[in-house]
Amino acid sequence: MPSTEPPSVPPANVLPKVAAIRAADGERLRSVHLPGMTLTVRSRPPAREGLPPALYVHGLGGSSQNWSALMPLLDGVVQSEALDLPGFGDSPPPDDGDYSITGHARAVVRHLDASGRGPVHLFGNSLGGAVVTRVAAARPDLVRTLTLVSPALPEIRVQRSAVPTGLLAVPGVAALFTRLTREWTAEQRVRGVRALCYGDPERVSEEGFRNAVEEMERRLQLPYFWDAMARSARGIVNAYTLGGQHALWRQAERVLAPTLLVYGGRDQLVAYRMAQRAARAFRDSRLLTLPDAGHVAMMEYPEAVATAFRELLADTADTTDTVGTGKPVGDERTDGAVDGEPANQTTGG
């Protein structure tokens, strides 16, 4: 449901010009115009014709760049695309201001429907993990396999280290945090994010750190940066409170696609103990646990994640071509948007 609040940021066509987003060697960036939103999509040329497509979805505060370490390792097995969710990376805010899990899932579905690339091998990290879980449950016809890296699925006992991130969902906290940290440099902010998200922050190369600082400086110039963060955090919290068929764990149980689950033993945002619950919830799942990894295993240990995905492909080669033939289920509308949250669960206020 669209926000009932007045717009808090200027329309996308009058947003200030900021530095261009970075593309790694071999990557291509393009804008995709869809109903109600424009998405930036990062892709790599396929190693050969006929490879199945893959789509990668980042987490809260991230962007398609979060997959740049993993994508080249899979050049020989999939055609890779990673998108910037609305309001993140180089994608402007959605027209309706909807940053709920369902709103982000709608962006993924609209892109896949418009591009005709589905069914795809679908990847998601953190917030993106919750988003693609909803997509896989509602639109099995779009998903060959599902790979979830530290997915943001509901926890009863949230880790203490994850509480500050969750507090962004509280109205006014993002504005307060912005004021309190006004003097922080982009470098200080990146060091904080690195310490929170990596099992071993020293695994980030000097070049990677410089690139992250440059990207942070770019994002801080965007007038909607904190709004997108706060509303997306609120969307996660709201999704955690949903019951019935819209509950994320219930939707995990409905996923038909073979699923690879990746959890890090040093994850400060998604508890390592949730790995076994996830393995039980997804009906056709396998689990990769990386004791030294943090919240972004595809960035810290891309080789391990790539190897596990290749093994998933090898073991499911006879089934993945038929998984994506199911018809849409649940509350799917004919325009391809994923319905899911009751009217009182909007993220607009």
Side-chain angles (χ1 to χ4, degrees):
M1 178 178 175
S3 167
T4 57
E5 289 186 346
S8 56
V9 298
N13 62 349
V14 296
L15 291 174
K17 297 294 183 181
V18 297
I21 199 166
R22 178 178 294 275
D25 291 342
E27 293 182 345
R28 171 175 171 260
L29 298 175
R30 73 182 192 278
S31 291
V32 177
H33 301 284
L34 301 168
M37 64 188 70
T38 297
L39 302 178
T40 294
V41 178
R42 181 182 304 265
S43 61
R44 293 184 59 84
R48 62 180 185 277
E49 294 297 322
L51 291 176
L55 183 68
Y56 308 79
V57 184
H58 62 81
L60 181 67
S63 75
S64 57
Q65 292 186 75
N66 291 21
W67 302 98
S68 289
L70 178 65
M71 289 197 296
L73 301 180
L74 299 178
D75 278 350
V77 293
V78 294
Q79 302 177 46
S80 290
E81 281 191 352
L83 59 79
D84 291 332
L85 290 171
F88 293 93
D90 210 31
S91 294
D95 290 353
D96 61 5
D98 185 356
Y99 290 100
S100 65
I101 297 295
T102 295
H104 287 314
R106 187 175 296 121
V108 173
V109 167
R110 286 184 180 173
H111 172 59
L112 289 176
D113 278 342
S115 67
R117 294 182 79 238
V120 300
H121 295 289
L122 192 56
F123 292 70
N125 168 236
S126 191
L127 162 68
V131 169
V132 299
T133 295
R134 182 151 288 175
V135 172
R139 291 292 303 272
D141 58 309
L142 293 178
V143 184
R144 293 173 184 258
T145 65
L146 190 64
T147 297
L148 305 176
V149 181
S150 297
L153 299 175
E155 300 180 39
I156 295 177
R157 292 184 295 114
V158 177
Q159 295 186 102
R160 185 178 302 173
S161 53
V163 170
T165 302
L167 286 176
L168 283 176
V170 179
V173 168
L176 175 62
F177 182 77
T178 302
R179 290 196 299 272
L180 293 177
T181 63
R182 185 179 293 111
E183 303 303 320
W184 289 13
T185 66
E187 181 174 328
Q188 288 174 310
R189 295 175 191 274
V190 169
R191 290 190 187 281
V193 171
R194 187 179 64 171
L196 181 64
C197 292
Y198 280 75
D200 179 6
E202 297 305 314
R203 291 185 66 86
V204 180
S205 67
E206 289 187 11
E207 180 183 7
F209 181 76
R210 288 196 303 270
N211 292 343
V213 171
E214 178 183 304
E215 174 60 13
M216 179 62 73
E217 291 172 340
R218 191 192 70 84
R219 291 184 188 186
L220 291 172
Q221 296 179 54
L222 298 171
Y224 55 82
F225 173 72
W226 286 112
D227 187 65
M229 287 283 290
R231 293 185 186 227
S232 292
R234 202 172 308 158
I236 296 174
V237 172
N238 285 346
Y240 280 18
T241 67
L242 294 178
Q245 65 177 328
H246 304 302
L248 283 170
W249 284 115
R250 181 72 62 84
Q251 294 195 320
E253 294 169 354
R254 294 164 57 190
V255 171
L256 302 176
T259 301
L260 170 63
L261 301 164
V262 182
Y263 281 81
R266 296 183 178 179
D267 195 331
Q268 300 181 64
L269 295 171
V270 171
Y272 189 58
R273 65 175 180 271
M274 301 304 294
Q276 291 301 324
R277 179 174 181 180
R280 292 191 299 268
F282 290 89
R283 65 180 72 187
D284 183 4
S285 69
R286 61 184 57 203
L287 177 62
L288 170 65
T289 57
L290 298 170
D292 295 325
H295 192 59
V296 287
M298 75 286 186
M299 300 172 72
E300 288 187 89
Y301 296 93
E303 294 85 1
V305 176
T307 296
F309 176 72
R310 287 173 178 269
E311 291 172 352
L312 173 70
L313 284 191
D315 292 348
T316 60
D318 296 332
T319 61
T320 53
D321 287 338
T322 59
V323 167
T325 61
K327 295 180 179 180
V329 296
D331 298 323
E332 182 64 24
R333 295 203 303 261
T334 57
D335 68 353
V338 180
D339 287 334
E341 297 181 0
N344 64 351
Q345 292 294 338
T346 68
T347 61

